[in-house]
Amino acid sequence: MSQLRITFPKMIKSVIIDSREPKWVQDLSFNTEHKLILEMEYGDIWATCDDGNTLVIERKEPEDFIGSMVSNRLLKQAYGLAELRAGGLWPYVMITGDLMAGPEGKTFCNGKIRNVSFSA
């Protein structure tokens, strides 16, 4: 009996990862041989796809996301990502962890209640 073999197109052609990202992110392969690690102004991961589009991913851990909101740094980053979108790129913000509604409408993350409204 023959075995069914399915092959998928190689969707990601090349990747650039910000050098300030943790080692586990830098070590991701993305199934491509073309990977660079360097410091970038906007986005933590840039992935060039075989359809010609480029994805720009701003990766945030929950504490960093909340800290970025409170310090207004997130607005600056969102503005930079919006400029990239206007230039034809596809920016995304990816939160790698859990943010949950806690008591009294506050935000719960990393085992503690933050004094930030979850609805924000």
Side-chain angles (χ1 to χ4, degrees), residues 44-60:
D44 298 312
I45 301 168
W46 288 52
T48 304
C49 302
D50 60 5
D51 63 0
N53 288 307
T54 299
L55 308 177
V56 180
I57 301 163
E58 179 67 36
R59 190 191 69 80
K60 298 274 186 199

Side-chain angles (χ1 to χ4, degrees), residues 76-95:
K76 179 182 176 190
Q77 291 171 327
Y79 179 78
L81 293 173
E83 286 184 324
L84 295 175
R85 178 65 188 118
L89 304 177
W90 292 88
Y92 294 89
V93 175
M94 175 176 57
I95 301 172

Side-chain angles (χ1 to χ4, degrees), residues 1-9:
M1 178 184 279
S2 67
Q3 183 178 5
L4 176 64
R5 184 181 179 128
I6 299 173
T7 58
F8 294 96

Side-chain angles (χ1 to χ4, degrees), residues 15-23 25-26 36-46 57-58:
V15 175
I16 303 172
I17 299 174
D18 193 300
S19 59
R20 295 166 292 189
E21 283 297 292
K23 183 164 175 34
V25 175
Q26 292 182 27
L36 292 172
I37 309 292
L38 53 93
E39 190 171 319
M40 297 184 291
E41 186 173 354
Y42 295 113
D44 298 312
I45 301 168
W46 288 52
I57 301 163
E58 179 67 36

